[in-house]
Amino acid sequence: MLMAYASSAFEFESSNPRAGFPGKGEHMPMKDAMKHIKRSLRVLGGLAVVVGVSSVLGSNNVRSEALKGFGSAATGGLGGEVVQVRSTKALKYELCRSYSFGHCNDNSPREIQVAATIDFTGTEGQGEGQGCQYGRACSAPYKSESLLLMDGNDAHCDGKEKTLVGFDRAGKRPLEIGSNKTVIGVGPSATIKGKGLRLNGVSNVVIRNLTISDINQGVIFAGDAIAIARADLVWIDHNRFRNIGRQMIAGGLGPTTNITISWNDFDGSDTYSSYCNGEHYWNLLFLGVPQTITIANNYFHEISGRAPHIDGAQAIIHLLNNYFHNTNAQQSGGFFHAVDAGPSVQVLIEGNSFDNIETPIKTGSGHIFGLLGKPSRAVQNICLTVLGRRCIENIAIPVPRINGFRLDEAVVQSFGALPRSSIPLPFPADDVSAVITARAGPGHLESR
């Protein structure tokens, strides 16, 4: 079983054989995958500067913002054409210049620099569809969320009074991105507003230094900030997400492999909330098969759930050095849960700081290896033997009311079957709050 997990980390199906990875029904052998990663890293070493914006590579400092983890071979549009965009029309065109049967087939390397606030709100008109008020009925100053039914078979509103739900059409129609693209904000205020991004059947995409906001705020199923389906080699870094109706990042519908999500600010403060507490519930959702995802150095705050929610077979997730912070006291109905993993999921949880979090890990989550407090010598011997290093402890203050931390050795064994380059070393959790709040989100790209 462990070898099956190891090989799945480098398998990917695609309907687009020109995207730079195996075509449909094909599998990339482990040795070929490793050659691909090493070749990509040589390219990165020789062309380290992303034109006019920042450096891709980091230093040897473990607190460095270098690209690391499962997505460490992503180069995006490095070496390709560099364009700046300031309008809705230009952004849509440069992200994908050509389509085939409705799918983006633009694989030319290109760096798209977003040099303004690009606002899609209202550009495609207003829509209305069947739905319901979902969750609790909130009192001022908070507002209740609505849910827009996906289709006639959607059962989310069963048992609730059906009603017409209004929405902005632009939010439901995400921008398609082609393979081998970098989308990067110029300066700290570059913003895409009212519409999200979709990576569908593509490979080698980098998204950095952007704010993505205000996508049908308060309307569930009316748009995600970033949607990933059947995608490989993705780096999502130093972005801010806020006022999103549904998920800030959603992955599913096939493989979601070799993904790194790093140094992002997931800002859940919102007048619309599932628990009427001003905190967003719909955050990260990953349902792909297989999945290999690194979630590192992110700032999750004022969020009441799904940070992340993961399900599906052959899912290997590394969660390290993230800062989970809730301003309100636990007793005031604050952050309900962070990690929520299905029964087949394998999650290595290291060096994270859970600050005033009621439930860092939901009980009943899948295979979890996460240290809370000092480990025994026997536990550290397992890490030293299998990973070649110590496992790093997490901290949770105050002690969680619901404690889902576990030490499932099968998780360490699964990670031990992967290349060491896929498993970055976290820094101590005591440093996380200061480092992450100072450097996560747009405007903090390292320049070297």
Side-chain angles (χ1 to χ4, degrees):
M1 182 181 72
L2 296 179
M3 289 309 296
Y5 276 112
S7 62
S8 71
F10 298 98
E11 294 176 0
F12 186 80
E13 293 184 359
S14 170
S15 59
N16 182 1
R18 298 168 55 197
F21 45 87
K24 188 172 184 180
E26 298 175 4
H27 298 292
M28 181 183 289
M30 180 69 77
K31 65 178 183 179
D32 292 342
M34 289 309 300
K35 288 179 181 177
H36 170 71
I37 288 176
K38 291 176 181 177
R39 183 168 60 250
S40 298
L41 288 174
R42 284 197 297 271
V43 172
L44 280 169
L47 296 168
V49 176
V50 176
V51 178
V53 183
S54 69
S55 168
V56 174
L57 291 180
S59 69
N60 292 324
N61 184 348
V62 294
R63 292 164 179 77
S64 162
E65 297 166 35
L67 172 53
K68 55 192 176 184
F70 289 117
S72 61
T75 61
L78 188 66
E81 182 182 2
V82 178
V83 296
Q84 277 202 0
V85 295
R86 298 176 180 272
S87 68
T88 57
K89 182 178 180 180
L91 177 59
K92 183 176 181 180
Y93 174 72
E94 297 298 351
L95 292 175
C96 181
R97 295 180 180 177
S98 61
Y99 293 82
S100 176
F101 299 104
H103 294 280
C104 180
N105 64 355
D106 177 0
N107 301 323
S108 300
R110 185 159 59 254
E111 178 181 311
I112 302 102
Q113 298 180 355
V114 178
T117 293
I118 300 179
D119 190 354
F120 289 86
T121 307
T123 58
E124 299 173 24
Q126 297 297 305
E128 205 172 48
Q130 282 289 320
C132 60
Q133 179 180 293
Y134 196 75
R136 302 179 183 181
C138 299
S139 301
Y142 304 122
K143 299 178 182 180
S144 305
E145 293 177 316
S146 300
L147 184 143
L148 181 67
L149 291 171
M150 293 179 285
D151 53 44
N153 297 318
D154 189 341
H156 280 94
C157 289
D158 286 2
K160 301 179 184 295
E161 182 180 356
K162 302 282 181 64
T163 184
L164 287 176
V165 174
F167 61 95
D168 190 303
R169 293 184 187 277
K172 277 185 62 65
R173 299 168 177 170
L175 296 160
E176 302 287 345
I177 303 180
S179 295
N180 308 311
K181 302 293 185 291
T182 293
V183 191
I184 188 162
V186 177
S189 59
T191 301
I192 300 174
K193 187 177 180 181
K195 189 184 280 286
L197 306 173
R198 179 161 62 189
L199 287 63
N200 183 21
V202 298
S203 175
N204 193 27
V205 174
V206 173
I207 302 169
R208 303 189 76 195
N209 202 52
L210 289 168
T211 293
I212 304 177
S213 71
D214 300 284
I215 301 173
N216 279 313
Q217 182 183 9
V219 184
I220 305 165
F221 293 132
D224 304 313
I226 297 179
I228 305 171
R230 296 177 292 274
D232 180 65
L233 272 182
V234 176
W235 184 25
I236 300 171
D237 176 73
H238 276 99
N239 304 290
R240 175 175 293 113
F241 302 92
R242 62 185 308 271
N243 292 343
I244 308 299
R246 190 172 176 257
Q247 310 295 337
M248 298 185 182
I249 301 179
L253 300 177
T256 310
T257 49
N258 299 315
I259 312 292
T260 291
I261 299 169
S262 61
W263 297 101
N264 298 287
D265 177 1
F266 295 97
D267 180 0
S269 54
D270 199 334
T271 53
Y272 294 91
S273 58
S274 295
Y275 295 100
C276 304
N277 58 2
E279 298 172 357
H280 193 61
Y281 176 80
W282 318 96
N283 184 28
L284 304 185
L285 174 67
F286 297 114
L287 303 175
V289 180
Q291 300 179 94
T292 48
I293 304 173
T294 300
I295 303 172
N297 310 109
N298 298 287
Y299 184 24
F300 296 91
H301 57 110
E302 276 57 72
I303 296 174
S304 57
R306 291 193 174 189
H309 174 79
I310 317 143
D311 210 343
Q314 301 179 37
I316 300 182
I317 313 295
H318 194 189
L319 198 74
L320 67 148
N321 285 150
N322 299 286
Y323 182 41
F324 300 85
H325 172 67
N326 180 34
T327 303
N328 298 321
Q330 293 185 35
Q331 292 78 9
S332 69
F335 202 127
F336 173 54
H337 70 262
V339 180
D340 177 8
S344 300
V345 175
Q346 308 232 350
V347 191
L348 178 60
I349 302 176
E350 298 187 280
N352 299 282
S353 175
F354 297 92
D355 182 1
N356 206 20
I357 307 305
E358 181 183 68
T359 309
I361 305 168
K362 285 187 72 172
T363 56
S365 288
H367 302 280
I368 302 291
F369 189 96
L371 297 166
L372 186 61
K374 296 295 182 182
S376 67
R377 180 175 296 180
V379 169
Q380 283 296 18
N381 283 341
I382 294 170
C383 294
L384 288 167
T385 300
V386 178
L387 302 181
R389 64 165 176 83
R390 297 175 66 253
C391 290
I392 306 301
E393 304 94 315
N394 304 277
I395 58 174
I397 300 173
V399 175
R401 186 175 70 83
I402 301 173
N403 187 351
F405 284 92
R406 298 204 314 280
L407 298 174
D408 188 334
E409 185 180 341
V411 175
V412 179
Q413 297 294 340
S414 293
F415 274 81
L418 300 172
R420 294 282 171 87
S421 61
S422 300
I423 316 167
L425 173 68
F427 56 84
D430 289 338
D431 297 339
V432 163
S433 61
V435 172
I436 300 308
T437 54
R439 289 162 56 178
H444 300 290
L445 295 185
E446 291 187 339
S447 58
R448 304 186 189 284

